[in-house]
Amino acid sequence: MKNLVEELIMGKHLNEHEAYCLMTDMAREGVNQCQIASVLTIYRMRLPEIDEILGFRSALLDMAHEIKLDADLAIDLCGTGGDGKDTFNISTLTSFIVAGAGYKVTKHGNYGVSSSCGSSDVLNALGYKFTNSESELNQQLEKANICFLHAPLFHPALKNIGPIRKQLGIKTLFNIMGPLINPSRPSHQISGTYSNEVARVYEHVLSENTKNFAVIHASDGYDELSLTSDAIVRCKNGTEILNASHFNLQALKQADIKGGIDIASSSKIFTSILEGEGTTAQNNVVLANAALAIRTIEGGELSSAYQKAKESLESKSALKALKTVLT
């Protein structure tokens, strides 16, 4: 590992095999933590090349806890985080709305590292029991159309890297890798990215083996359809610009989608929206993202997908999906 770190410091870009070896070295017990911090710092200063991403991804998936879920067609909605916007948990809420609309969701997530409240934080606060049991997750998927794959249970090889990320407190290489290493390998994916450069890399990587995807980066920096500005959306069949007008909605202000100040307040926002007590702005932003996810799965028009998402929220089907996985 020392030699690879030195090459990176000297400005070299790794090939896919070297990146694979570096990631497996980083995951070894007893590895030098300063070297890991050096790698994370280097990739904070420059974006990994596509070959490096592919090598890192292959290594992480090979080291992951294997899981076989009974869903030939499923979608993951997982952003990179690291956009510094401190929104409420839009992608996680969107996941339950999509599940309530009748689509299978295999959500991959983790505790917040560069944000105050990640998907694992809010679900844990609500009483969700994390598991990597294949039978339990398949039961949730059958009954609720959704299951949650808590990253630390599926990527135990990374347990020595987590504390270093937490101490650094900034977005790192693993913000980029997180959405790309869902161990269930879903057929479809929605991924928000904190930069347009990362979005381009995602477009290339996901086009390799994903039936359809949508990679989102908003022009004002959000890693989701924020409805506060135009967003570039890269799909398998091309690129488009989406904003609030495409959903016949009014543009939002950044303050409209601000999250809680801590896990407790974030969890309260989460449940209030599913219980039908969210603000119009909160509802609209999760429905727009859910509509994009539904269209990514089945094609068709955004307007039709939006109506399906709206029915899921207003009928409390999304809330029922949450309650089902909590029991």
Side-chain angles (χ1 to χ4, degrees):
M1 179 170 172
K2 178 183 176 181
N3 291 337
L4 289 174
V5 172
E6 188 167 352
E7 289 182 0
L8 287 172
I9 290 172
M10 296 299 292
K12 178 181 176 181
H13 291 193
L14 305 182
N15 60 38
E16 189 170 340
H17 175 70
E18 289 170 328
Y20 185 101
C21 293
L22 177 62
M23 184 58 70
T24 54
D25 283 346
M26 289 171 68
R28 282 188 297 106
E29 290 285 347
V31 69
N32 187 311
Q33 294 193 343
C34 291
Q35 290 179 346
I36 293 176
S38 295
V39 172
L40 297 184
T41 302
I42 289 165
Y43 284 114
R44 179 66 185 91
M45 296 172 69
R46 74 160 174 89
L47 188 67
E49 296 290 316
I50 289 172
D51 281 350
E52 292 173 317
I53 292 287
L54 291 172
F56 294 148
R57 185 192 197 198
S58 294
L60 290 167
L61 287 173
D62 284 350
M63 292 186 289
H65 175 80
E66 291 188 17
I67 185 80
K68 172 66 175 174
L69 297 178
D70 299 330
D72 292 333
L73 190 156
I75 192 167
D76 184 17
L77 301 95
C78 183
T80 58
D83 62 7
K85 299 297 187 180
D86 291 324
T87 58
F88 63 92
N89 299 84
I90 292 173
S91 65
T92 312
L93 277 160
T94 299
S95 297
F96 282 97
I97 291 173
V98 173
Y103 303 91
K104 301 294 184 185
V105 180
T106 55
K107 175 84 175 84
H108 188 228
N110 204 345
Y111 296 120
V113 175
S114 55
S115 65
S116 60
C117 185
S119 54
S120 290
D121 293 301
V122 72
L123 289 176
N124 183 55
L126 294 174
Y128 183 82
K129 303 278 193 304
F130 298 138
T131 181
N132 60 8
S133 165
E134 192 171 278
S135 61
E136 290 180 30
L137 291 168
N138 272 314
Q139 285 178 15
Q140 293 176 10
L141 199 56
E142 179 182 357
K143 294 178 180 179
N145 288 331
I146 186 171
C147 64
F148 184 74
L149 286 71
H150 178 54
L153 294 183
F154 290 89
H155 301 285
L158 299 183
K159 64 182 179 181
N160 61 317
I161 297 176
I164 300 171
R165 291 183 67 198
K166 195 71 175 176
Q167 288 176 353
L168 286 172
I170 59 174
K171 58 177 174 275
T172 68
L173 168 67
F174 290 95
N175 285 87
I176 298 173
M177 298 311 304
L180 298 175
I181 56 172
N182 185 323
S184 70
R185 307 182 191 226
S187 58
H188 294 70
Q189 186 153 343
I190 299 287
S191 293
T193 64
Y194 63 78
S195 79
N196 203 30
E197 291 75 19
V198 174
R200 291 192 187 100
V201 172
Y202 267 49
E203 180 181 19
H204 180 91
V205 173
L206 291 174
S207 65
E208 296 281 317
N209 51 17
T210 309
K211 287 185 178 178
N212 199 11
F213 60 85
V215 179
I216 309 161
H217 175 67
S219 62
D220 55 355
Y222 286 92
D223 67 340
E224 52 221 343
L225 285 179
S226 61
L227 305 185
T228 58
S229 69
D230 288 345
I232 301 173
V233 180
R234 292 174 163 81
C235 303
K236 202 152 195 173
N237 59 356
T239 299
E240 63 185 328
I241 305 294
L242 293 180
N243 57 41
S245 68
H246 293 90
F247 302 90
N248 294 317
L249 301 172
Q250 294 294 315
L252 302 181
K253 298 177 181 178
Q254 294 194 9
D256 294 333
I257 54 175
K258 205 73 174 170
I261 59 173
D262 53 23
I263 294 172
S265 56
S266 297
S267 302
K268 186 173 182 179
I269 292 171
F270 192 94
T271 53
S272 69
I273 292 171
L274 291 181
E275 288 169 351
E277 298 173 0
T279 66
T280 298
Q282 289 170 338
N283 292 342
N284 286 350
V285 75
V286 293
L287 291 176
N289 282 274
L292 179 60
I294 291 170
R295 192 191 70 173
T296 299
I297 297 168
E298 66 173 22
E301 299 296 325
L302 269 178
S303 57
S304 173
Y306 188 89
Q307 288 305 312
K308 291 177 181 179
K310 188 176 181 182
E311 171 64 19
S312 173
L313 180 61
E314 293 182 349
S315 70
K316 305 291 175 63
S317 294
L319 178 62
K320 182 180 177 182
L322 174 64
K323 290 181 174 179
T324 301
V325 298
L326 294 181
T327 56

